[in-house]
Amino acid sequence: MNHIVIVDPFSTGKLYAPLLNARGLNCIAIISRPDLPAHFTQDLVAEHFTQVLDWRPELVETLDALGVVAVIAGCETAIHLTDHLTEALGVRGNSPATSDQRRNKYSMQQALDRRELAHIDSHLVTHPDQIAAVLTTIAPDQQYVVKPLNSAATQGVVFATGRAAVEQALLNAGWDQRNDLGEVNLGFVVQPFISGPEYVVDLVAFNGTYHVATVCRYTKILRNGSPFVYDSLDTLDPNDTDLQPLLDYARQAAAALNVLHGPLHMEIIWSPQGPVMIEAGARLHGGIAPRLFQQVYQPDLLSVAIDSYLGRPAPAGSGCSRQLRHGRIGFFWAERPSTFEGPGFEPMVEAGKVPGYGGHRYFVATGAHVPTTIDFATCPGLFWLSHDDARQLDHSAEQIRALLWSQ
């Protein structure tokens, strides 16, 4: 009884196995689909696993005989199969009957509505023949968001004002195309644009009670004619009483999505009417964030998630992790189209001397074309910082951008 299954251990899902191995547990990787894109599967670190298996229904009997104690969703593509396996193997998990509420961007808003929680009125479009009917609901001067039901990040997201622009966005949408997750787009959702500061809350469920592991706030700036350019994601103290309405809502939303075990990553707008969830995913925060959180919070998100999967009790205390330091993920932006040439050796050395510097990552390869940054999808890279003094983060961010991104 010392085997852990990790479905699609990619993105931040690859962080689980080394920590579980250190606890004497054997990890088995299951790849949910044979057509997962290479930019996902290249994340696999095979030596962290006793077996790497392609999913087939017969595996349930094999896994049951091994004595699996937990099934973990590594990333978005793993949600449905993870829920199926937890039920089939009789281990802690979330019900496969409600998997869509934790993956489908229309279903999760419907789940909030059923609990009479703040939500976004959403219109589902699963076929181009439905566009005309949806357009009758569109206000002439209101701004809308058109997004795929099952994509990740901001891929395929279009902002449109008025009926004609929404129609054009839907006509130009990627019908029957595969997204960056390798999944065929199941359809699109049309939602009124909700304004207000954007927060990220990472919860971990312990049999239906929720520990808040992190709270962060995005800062967006007007740049290159777009108000959707990301400047930073800053960590906040979950024990700050000013954040209590946000966290109360997040816990209620998690319950509405029927999250009983494991992590839930939530994006929430604090609108003038109060917090409203944009979307959520039943997995770890993506990117480099969990590594930064290890330096900022105690206990950190990854450790709390592992405890939940292993059936350990929730951390004692307030129901929130403590912020020990200040953290920031900063984003690079391109002022004009260019060819990426990299920063060179000396700037890289100097960046390492900047107070609080944790690392950086480019999303473009040397010699690649870089478009003008207008949103997260066109962001060319990021960096991360942590420091005892919050004011130092501003100075360090300015230095890092000057050293590692200049046009």
Side-chain angles (χ1 to χ4, degrees), residues 216-396:
C216 303
R217 177 173 171 168
Y218 277 112
T219 297
K220 298 178 187 179
I221 56 175
L222 176 62
R223 212 167 190 89
N224 303 321
S226 169
F228 304 112
V229 173
Y230 284 82
D231 176 84
S232 62
L233 178 69
D234 288 282
T235 63
L236 304 175
D237 183 358
N239 294 285
D240 184 343
T241 56
D242 289 342
L243 296 174
Q244 195 61 49
L246 179 78
L247 303 189
D248 288 345
Y249 172 81
R251 289 186 169 99
Q252 292 173 324
L257 300 181
N258 199 30
V259 179
L260 299 178
H261 300 279
L264 182 70
H265 173 72
M266 308 180 72
E267 297 172 10
I268 300 173
I269 296 292
W270 202 329
S271 75
Q273 293 73 40
V276 57
M277 190 190 81
I278 302 302
E279 57 189 67
R283 40 78 181 174
L284 282 181
H285 195 131
I288 59 84
R291 295 189 185 276
L292 175 63
F293 296 156
Q294 287 177 321
Q295 303 168 30
V296 172
Y297 293 107
Q298 178 63 41
D300 70 279
L301 172 63
L302 187 56
S303 299
V304 179
I306 287 175
D307 283 346
S308 171
Y309 283 121
L310 296 182
R312 295 182 175 171
S318 65
C320 297
S321 291
R322 293 180 296 116
Q323 185 180 31
L324 304 180
R325 308 183 82 198
H326 300 280
R328 173 177 296 181
I329 298 173
F331 300 93
F332 298 122
W333 54 76
E335 302 283 3
R336 60 186 180 278
S338 62
T339 299
F340 181 59
E341 297 179 354
F345 178 72
E346 289 187 9
M348 294 272 283
V349 172
E350 291 303 309
K353 301 176 184 176
V354 173
Y357 170 76
H360 70 277
R361 180 178 297 171
Y362 296 116
F363 302 149
V364 289
T366 302
H369 172 71
V370 179
T372 301
T373 305
I374 57 172
D375 54 19
F376 184 75
T378 51
C379 170
L382 53 76
F383 56 92
W384 56 99
L385 308 164
S386 64
H387 202 276
D388 294 335
D389 185 351
R391 295 168 298 181
Q392 181 62 52
L393 298 181
D394 292 330
H395 301 302
S396 295

Side-chain angles (χ1 to χ4, degrees), residues 178-231:
R178 291 190 180 273
N179 57 36
D180 280 351
L181 301 176
E183 299 175 343
V184 174
N185 287 329
L186 298 177
F188 298 85
V189 63
V190 180
Q191 301 172 326
F193 177 74
I194 306 298
S195 63
E198 182 178 353
Y199 293 81
V200 174
V201 178
D202 288 291
L203 304 167
V204 179
F206 289 80
N207 196 28
T209 63
Y210 305 103
H211 179 87
V212 178
T214 79
V215 185
C216 303
R217 177 173 171 168
Y218 277 112
T219 297
K220 298 178 187 179
I221 56 175
L222 176 62
R223 212 167 190 89
N224 303 321
S226 169
F228 304 112
V229 173
Y230 284 82
D231 176 84

